[in-house]
Short mmCIF file of all heavy atoms in Angstrom, two decimals:
data_model
loop_
_atom_site.label_atom_id
_atom_site.label_comp_id
_atom_site.label_asym_id
_atom_site.label_seq_id
_atom_site.Cartn_x
_atom_site.Cartn_y
_atom_site.Cartn_z
N ARG C 406 -65.97 -13.16 184.54
CA ARG C 406 -65.53 -14.48 184.95
C ARG C 406 -66.17 -15.62 184.14
O ARG C 406 -67.38 -15.68 183.95
CB ARG C 406 -65.87 -14.68 186.43
CG ARG C 406 -65.37 -16.03 186.96
CD ARG C 406 -64.79 -15.93 188.35
NE ARG C 406 -65.83 -15.72 189.33
CZ ARG C 406 -65.58 -15.39 190.61
NH1 ARG C 406 -64.34 -15.21 191.04
NH2 ARG C 406 -66.57 -15.20 191.45
N GLY C 408 -66.04 -16.85 181.06
CA GLY C 408 -66.57 -16.88 179.69
C GLY C 408 -65.62 -17.54 178.70
O GLY C 408 -64.46 -17.83 179.02
N ILE C 435 -58.93 -15.68 188.18
CA ILE C 435 -58.54 -14.50 188.95
C ILE C 435 -59.15 -14.64 190.34
O ILE C 435 -60.33 -14.98 190.49
CB ILE C 435 -59.00 -13.21 188.26
CG1 ILE C 435 -58.21 -13.03 186.94
CG2 ILE C 435 -58.84 -12.00 189.17
CD1 ILE C 435 -58.54 -11.80 186.16
N ILE C 460 -75.40 9.90 162.84
CA ILE C 460 -76.04 10.17 164.14
C ILE C 460 -76.14 11.68 164.34
O ILE C 460 -75.15 12.40 164.19
CB ILE C 460 -75.21 9.56 165.29
CG1 ILE C 460 -75.13 8.04 165.13
CG2 ILE C 460 -75.80 9.92 166.65
CD1 ILE C 460 -74.19 7.37 166.13
N PRO C 463 -76.52 17.10 161.25
CA PRO C 463 -77.31 18.22 160.74
C PRO C 463 -77.22 18.29 159.23
O PRO C 463 -76.20 17.94 158.63
CB PRO C 463 -76.65 19.46 161.35
CG PRO C 463 -75.61 18.95 162.31
CD PRO C 463 -75.27 17.57 161.86
N GLY C 474 -82.71 23.75 150.25
CA GLY C 474 -83.25 24.84 151.06
C GLY C 474 -82.29 25.27 152.13
O GLY C 474 -81.22 24.69 152.29
N SER C 483 -80.33 10.94 168.14
CA SER C 483 -79.35 11.74 168.90
C SER C 483 -78.20 10.84 169.36
O SER C 483 -78.29 9.62 169.30
CB SER C 483 -80.03 12.36 170.13
OG SER C 483 -80.29 11.35 171.08
N VAL C 503 -69.14 14.15 160.10
CA VAL C 503 -69.25 15.60 160.22
C VAL C 503 -69.58 16.15 158.84
O VAL C 503 -68.84 15.91 157.89
CB VAL C 503 -67.93 16.23 160.69
CG1 VAL C 503 -68.11 17.72 160.94
CG2 VAL C 503 -67.39 15.51 161.91
N PHE C 531 -64.74 10.52 164.07
CA PHE C 531 -65.46 11.14 162.96
C PHE C 531 -64.82 10.86 161.60
O PHE C 531 -63.59 10.78 161.50
CB PHE C 531 -65.48 12.68 163.11
CG PHE C 531 -66.11 13.18 164.36
CD1 PHE C 531 -65.55 14.28 165.04
CD2 PHE C 531 -67.27 12.61 164.89
CE1 PHE C 531 -66.12 14.77 166.20
CE2 PHE C 531 -67.85 13.11 166.06
CZ PHE C 531 -67.27 14.19 166.71
N GLU C 544 -56.16 23.04 152.03
CA GLU C 544 -54.81 23.45 152.42
C GLU C 544 -54.72 23.80 153.90
O GLU C 544 -53.72 23.54 154.56
CB GLU C 544 -54.36 24.67 151.60
CG GLU C 544 -54.31 24.43 150.10
CD GLU C 544 -53.20 23.46 149.71
OE1 GLU C 544 -52.16 23.46 150.38
OE2 GLU C 544 -53.41 22.68 148.74
N ARG C 582 -53.61 12.22 150.88
CA ARG C 582 -52.27 11.63 150.79
C ARG C 582 -51.25 12.48 151.55
O ARG C 582 -50.40 11.96 152.28
CB ARG C 582 -51.89 11.52 149.32
CG ARG C 582 -50.60 10.78 149.08
CD ARG C 582 -50.45 10.45 147.62
NE ARG C 582 -49.36 9.52 147.44
CZ ARG C 582 -48.12 9.87 147.21
NH1 ARG C 582 -47.79 11.15 147.13
NH2 ARG C 582 -47.17 8.95 147.07
N ALA C 597 -75.61 8.88 135.86
CA ALA C 597 -76.42 7.74 135.43
C ALA C 597 -77.70 7.64 136.24
O ALA C 597 -78.79 7.39 135.72
CB ALA C 597 -75.59 6.45 135.56
N LEU C 610 -93.34 6.52 136.73
CA LEU C 610 -92.95 5.41 137.59
C LEU C 610 -92.31 5.98 138.85
O LEU C 610 -91.10 6.18 138.92
CB LEU C 610 -91.99 4.48 136.83
CG LEU C 610 -92.54 3.98 135.49
CD1 LEU C 610 -91.47 3.23 134.70
CD2 LEU C 610 -93.78 3.12 135.69
N GLU C 627 -69.51 0.99 138.16
CA GLU C 627 -68.77 2.02 137.43
C GLU C 627 -68.05 2.95 138.40
O GLU C 627 -66.86 3.21 138.28
CB GLU C 627 -69.72 2.82 136.51
CG GLU C 627 -69.02 3.80 135.58
CD GLU C 627 -68.47 5.03 136.29
OE1 GLU C 627 -69.18 5.57 137.18
OE2 GLU C 627 -67.34 5.46 135.98
N GLN C 644 -61.36 3.39 151.21
CA GLN C 644 -62.30 2.33 151.56
C GLN C 644 -63.59 2.58 150.77
O GLN C 644 -64.12 3.69 150.77
CB GLN C 644 -62.61 2.33 153.06
CG GLN C 644 -63.50 1.14 153.46
CD GLN C 644 -64.07 1.26 154.87
OE1 GLN C 644 -64.20 2.35 155.40
NE2 GLN C 644 -64.44 0.13 155.45
N SER C 649 -72.85 -3.41 147.72
CA SER C 649 -74.13 -4.13 147.73
C SER C 649 -74.18 -5.32 146.79
O SER C 649 -75.16 -6.05 146.79
CB SER C 649 -75.24 -3.16 147.33
OG SER C 649 -75.19 -2.93 145.93
N TRP C 668 -60.05 -1.15 150.39
CA TRP C 668 -60.86 -2.01 151.25
C TRP C 668 -62.33 -1.86 150.90
O TRP C 668 -62.75 -0.85 150.37
CB TRP C 668 -60.66 -1.63 152.72
CG TRP C 668 -59.28 -1.91 153.19
CD1 TRP C 668 -58.84 -3.03 153.80
CD2 TRP C 668 -58.14 -1.04 153.09
NE1 TRP C 668 -57.50 -2.93 154.08
CE2 TRP C 668 -57.05 -1.73 153.67
CE3 TRP C 668 -57.93 0.24 152.57
CZ2 TRP C 668 -55.76 -1.18 153.73
CZ3 TRP C 668 -56.66 0.77 152.62
CH2 TRP C 668 -55.60 0.07 153.20
N LEU C 676 -77.31 -8.17 152.90
CA LEU C 676 -77.30 -9.62 153.15
C LEU C 676 -78.69 -10.14 153.47
O LEU C 676 -78.89 -11.36 153.58
CB LEU C 676 -76.36 -9.93 154.32
CG LEU C 676 -74.89 -9.56 154.09
CD1 LEU C 676 -74.11 -9.61 155.39
CD2 LEU C 676 -74.26 -10.48 153.06
N ALA C 691 -91.10 2.36 151.43
CA ALA C 691 -90.13 3.41 151.74
C ALA C 691 -89.26 3.05 152.95
O ALA C 691 -88.15 3.56 153.11
CB ALA C 691 -90.86 4.74 151.99
N VAL C 720 -68.07 -5.05 158.21
CA VAL C 720 -69.53 -4.96 158.10
C VAL C 720 -70.03 -3.91 159.09
O VAL C 720 -69.83 -4.06 160.30
CB VAL C 720 -70.21 -6.32 158.38
CG1 VAL C 720 -71.73 -6.18 158.32
CG2 VAL C 720 -69.73 -7.37 157.38
N LEU C 773 -66.63 -17.84 164.01
CA LEU C 773 -66.74 -16.80 165.03
C LEU C 773 -65.58 -15.81 164.91
O LEU C 773 -65.77 -14.60 165.05
CB LEU C 773 -66.74 -17.46 166.43
CG LEU C 773 -66.83 -16.47 167.58
CD1 LEU C 773 -68.15 -15.74 167.59
CD2 LEU C 773 -66.61 -17.18 168.92
N ILE C 797 -59.70 -8.14 172.41
CA ILE C 797 -59.59 -8.41 173.83
C ILE C 797 -58.14 -8.79 174.09
O ILE C 797 -57.71 -9.91 173.78
CB ILE C 797 -60.55 -9.53 174.25
CG1 ILE C 797 -62.00 -9.08 174.00
CG2 ILE C 797 -60.34 -9.89 175.72
CD1 ILE C 797 -63.05 -10.13 174.32
N ALA C 803 -61.43 -1.99 177.84
CA ALA C 803 -62.29 -3.11 178.23
C ALA C 803 -63.69 -2.89 177.67
O ALA C 803 -64.64 -2.59 178.39
CB ALA C 803 -62.30 -3.27 179.74
N LEU C 807 -71.05 -9.52 175.97
CA LEU C 807 -71.27 -10.89 176.44
C LEU C 807 -72.42 -11.46 175.65
O LEU C 807 -73.52 -10.88 175.63
CB LEU C 807 -71.56 -10.90 177.94
CG LEU C 807 -70.31 -10.94 178.85
CD1 LEU C 807 -69.42 -9.72 178.61
CD2 LEU C 807 -70.70 -11.04 180.32
N PRO C 810 -74.84 -17.45 172.57
CA PRO C 810 -74.91 -17.87 171.17
C PRO C 810 -76.13 -18.72 170.86
O PRO C 810 -76.42 -18.98 169.70
CB PRO C 810 -73.63 -18.70 171.00
CG PRO C 810 -73.29 -19.19 172.36
CD PRO C 810 -73.76 -18.11 173.31
N GLN C 822 -84.24 -0.09 170.58
CA GLN C 822 -84.02 1.02 171.53
C GLN C 822 -83.44 2.27 170.85
O GLN C 822 -82.63 2.99 171.44
CB GLN C 822 -83.11 0.57 172.69
CG GLN C 822 -83.71 -0.62 173.45
CD GLN C 822 -83.08 -0.83 174.81
OE1 GLN C 822 -82.78 0.13 175.53
NE2 GLN C 822 -82.91 -2.08 175.20
N ALA C 824 -84.26 5.90 168.26
CA ALA C 824 -85.26 6.96 168.19
C ALA C 824 -86.20 6.81 167.00
O ALA C 824 -87.16 7.55 166.87
CB ALA C 824 -84.54 8.32 168.11
N LEU C 833 -87.64 -10.51 162.01
CA LEU C 833 -86.54 -11.43 161.67
C LEU C 833 -86.13 -12.22 162.91
O LEU C 833 -85.93 -11.65 163.97
CB LEU C 833 -85.34 -10.62 161.15
CG LEU C 833 -84.13 -11.43 160.67
CD1 LEU C 833 -84.45 -12.18 159.38
CD2 LEU C 833 -82.93 -10.50 160.43
N VAL C 835 -83.47 -14.30 165.01
CA VAL C 835 -82.02 -14.48 165.09
C VAL C 835 -81.68 -15.46 166.19
O VAL C 835 -82.40 -15.59 167.18
CB VAL C 835 -81.27 -13.15 165.34
CG1 VAL C 835 -81.51 -12.18 164.20
CG2 VAL C 835 -81.66 -12.52 166.68
#
Side-chain angles (χ1 to χ4, degrees):
Chain C
R406 183 140 72 191
I435 292 180
I460 299 173
S483 71
V503 185
F531 301 141
E544 300 292 326
R582 187 167 191 269
L610 305 172
E627 187 287 319
Q644 185 192 24
S649 75
W668 294 267
L676 298 167
V720 178
L773 179 66
I797 297 177
L807 274 60
Q822 302 197 38
L833 184 69
V835 298

